[in-house]
Amino acid sequence: MGLPQQLFFVPFLIFAAAIDGIQGDAMVTGTVFCDQCKDGQRSWFDYPISGVKVKVTCTDSNGQITMSREETTNWFGNYAVKFDGAPDLSGCFSQVSDSGQGSESGCSAPAGPAQKLRLMFRFFDMEMYATDSLLSQPAQPMPNCPKSTNPVPAPVTPAQPPPVAVPVPPAQPPPVATPAPPAQPQPVVSPVTPAIPPPSPAFRLPPMPPLPPLPPAPFLEASACPSKSWTMPEYRCYWRMVNPETKVAVVFGSLAASRYGTDLTMMQALQGRGDPYRTLLREGVTSFLNSYNTLRFPYNTIGVVQHMDWALMGSTRSVLLTGLRFMRANSGYGTVNCSFTPCK
């Protein structure tokens, strides 16, 4: 990163840290999966589900409930519950509530034990907690789930009938020995040396043709492209999984819908300017697209959505800090370039 960019980020960071510096927040995040095999644990057949309500409950030493909040999972099955004032959540737990709304996926029954909260970090009077995956189950397990194997009894060897007695023939008298004829002298035969065939010429395999060069793997190459590059028509072929007309609310869930509305498209979000929340959305959408373009981008796709949710539930300072982190990742931290080439 060059000196002008560093001079830009320093006052930006100072300004972000000065905004809303007194208010603290605590956030709890996690993911709900559909336990398709109804085995009570995560497996290859399980997938994250949206529209499921999760309740975070806190109790005192007597087991009495002191705090309780409920949120609904977003498009990627993630939930984020916010508590104002950064209270101590060390004795709290999260679980799928009885009023789960996963009817569209068929997973509406709560399953599995409640998960205890784990403190991930404290930063600028903000606390972040996480939990292990929560499970919700369908009415019946998926037909393709592996069946439990019951022990097969060892085969029983049938009883053999007793042996039948075979009559023994009477003993015969021994034959009379006949005198052997006198031995005749044998002729002496000289040993014959076998003929050795002449050596055959060495057989050699023909040389193998050279292997063709491997095709390039763009997903494995490091790349980071700014928001302006994603708006150019000549790079439209790099849009994957989503298109420019996809709604922001569909990608980022209910929190983004409440802030930006349900009609804003991804292309419109890339053109946001002048407002901290529009800046966060522009850089968040850019990071979302970059995460699909290369596996070596600093944020994965689900991570981008989670950081967007955490920022939207926090203060203006958290919005600015998250937007700054997205902006630095989209610029490649000054070391990674954008690998776009015009589409054919």
Side-chain angles (χ1 to χ4, degrees):
M1 182 180 299
L3 182 59
Q5 291 177 318
Q6 291 178 351
L7 294 177
F8 169 76
F9 284 126
V10 169
F12 191 90
L13 183 59
I14 295 175
F15 175 67
I19 294 179
D20 206 2
I22 299 176
Q23 180 68 31
D25 300 314
M27 282 180 282
V28 180
T29 62
T31 308
V32 179
F33 287 84
C34 179
D35 183 17
Q36 292 200 106
C37 294
K38 301 190 70 171
D39 53 4
Q41 59 186 355
R42 286 280 309 279
S43 66
W44 290 106
F45 300 96
D46 301 341
Y47 59 91
I49 52 176
S50 62
V52 174
K53 289 188 177 181
V54 176
K55 180 179 290 186
V56 176
T57 307
C58 304
T59 58
D60 56 16
S61 57
N62 298 325
Q64 300 297 322
I65 297 177
T66 58
M67 289 186 299
S68 180
R69 294 285 177 85
E70 192 175 58
E71 283 292 343
T72 305
T73 58
N74 63 10
W75 194 44
F76 292 96
N78 301 319
Y79 64 90
V81 183
K82 175 186 174 183
F83 291 87
D84 296 329
D88 182 16
L89 303 181
S90 57
C92 306
F93 57 89
S94 65
Q95 62 184 138
V96 177
S97 66
D98 294 336
S99 57
Q101 300 297 321
S103 57
E104 294 183 1
S105 63
C107 278
S108 58
Q115 299 295 341
K116 191 173 179 60
L117 308 188
R118 301 191 310 272
L119 178 64
M120 304 302 294
F121 66 86
R122 287 188 176 94
F123 182 74
F124 281 128
D125 296 331
M126 295 178 61
E127 296 178 348
M128 187 66 63
Y129 292 84
T131 65
D132 293 336
S133 301
L134 300 178
L135 299 178
S136 185
Q137 290 182 342
Q140 297 295 331
M142 186 179 65
N144 296 331
C145 289
K147 300 294 187 297
S148 59
T149 56
N150 298 322
V152 179
V156 179
T157 304
Q160 299 292 336
V164 180
V166 179
V168 179
Q172 300 291 332
V176 179
T178 305
Q184 300 292 328
Q186 300 294 331
V188 179
V189 180
S190 59
V192 177
T193 304
I196 300 176
S200 59
F203 177 75
R204 296 181 180 180
L205 293 173
M208 297 294 292
L211 295 176
L214 295 176
F219 291 104
L220 302 179
E221 298 177 359
S223 175
C225 300
S227 58
K228 183 178 180 181
S229 298
W230 286 101
T231 61
M232 295 181 178
E234 59 267 30
Y235 300 142
R236 188 65 59 88
C237 60
Y238 287 93
W239 285 70
R240 298 184 175 92
M241 300 300 295
V242 295
N243 59 64
E245 302 304 320
T246 302
K247 305 298 183 183
V248 168
V250 174
V251 175
F252 291 99
S254 58
L255 287 175
S258 62
R259 166 60 65 174
Y260 304 107
T262 57
D263 295 329
L264 189 68
T265 66
M266 298 285 278
M267 180 60 73
Q268 293 171 341
L270 290 174
Q271 301 168 358
R273 296 289 189 278
D275 177 78
Y277 287 90
R278 293 300 298 269
T279 301
L280 169 68
L281 181 61
R282 182 191 69 230
E283 299 302 326
V285 169
T286 305
S287 294
F288 183 89
L289 297 173
N290 281 324
S291 68
Y292 272 121
N293 187 52
T294 173
L295 294 176
R296 297 177 61 181
F297 191 70
Y299 295 93
N300 58 44
T301 305
I302 295 180
V304 173
V305 178
Q306 286 181 333
H307 282 79
M308 283 285 294
D309 286 345
W310 298 339
L312 292 174
M313 289 189 304
S315 61
T316 309
R317 180 191 58 208
S318 65
V319 170
L320 290 173
L321 289 176
T322 304
L324 173 62
R325 296 188 185 101
F326 282 153
M327 185 184 299
R328 295 184 63 191
N330 296 330
S331 65
Y333 299 100
T335 59
V336 177
N337 297 323
C338 181
S339 63
F340 282 176
T341 57
C343 304
K344 298 180 179 179

